[in-house]
Amino acid sequence: MATYAVNPDAVAHARSMIDKRQYVLDSDWGEVQPRADAQNAYLERHTWDDYAAWHLGLTEDANDETKARYAFVYGDLRRVHRSGLIACVYRAAEWRHKLVELAAHDLLQHLDRVAGIE
């Protein structure tokens, strides 16, 4: 099983997007998560650093500037999705990646505070 480090740049990016209210509260993550073709199109117009900022996890031992390096996407490459953060918490918890789970959980709590969700 792969191991992951938390991507601090992605955490900062997500927090910034939330603070700017660039988020979606209600979405079906299975429908809006970026598919391979959307990711490829994004990479044609953006840098690997931009792409990395949408992923809370960095796959240890994977090469930089490969899609395999980045895991736990939390948005649609334009906005943070609450359902994406929930998916990250769930998947990281399921796979026992505690640090990624906690980072996603903290971001989810921040989004809920900013959005006024009690």
Side-chain angles (χ1 to χ4, degrees):
M1 178 179 292
T3 56
Y4 302 94
V6 172
N7 181 354
D9 293 337
V11 172
H13 180 255
R15 184 172 283 279
S16 173
M17 296 292 288
I18 291 166
D19 290 343
K20 294 175 188 171
R21 301 197 183 285
Q22 298 295 309
Y23 54 76
V24 177
L25 295 177
D26 298 308
S27 61
D28 179 344
W29 187 240
E31 295 295 320
V32 299
Q33 65 183 321
R35 305 283 181 228
D37 58 338
Q39 293 175 34
N40 292 338
Y42 185 86
L43 281 166
E44 288 176 10
R45 299 182 315 273
H46 297 86
T47 67
W48 279 101
D49 287 340
D50 293 338
Y51 180 78
W54 288 101
H55 298 81
L56 295 179
L58 298 173
T59 310
E60 294 182 2
D61 299 325
N63 292 328
D64 288 337
E65 298 190 0
T66 64
K67 284 198 219 175
R69 174 73 168 142
Y70 310 103
F72 299 98
V73 64
Y74 60 86
D76 61 8
L77 306 176
R78 293 179 307 152
R79 297 162 299 185
V80 175
H81 281 255
R82 187 172 187 273
S83 61
L85 289 173
I86 292 168
C88 288
V89 171
Y90 176 81
R91 285 189 357 251
E94 179 181 34
W95 299 339
R96 296 182 183 95
H97 301 300
K98 195 63 171 179
L99 296 177
V100 175
E101 174 193 348
L102 293 173
H105 178 268
D106 289 347
L107 287 166
L108 178 60
Q109 299 310 305
H110 181 64
L111 182 134
D112 285 354
R113 276 191 302 277
V114 170
I117 297 172
E118 301 288 328

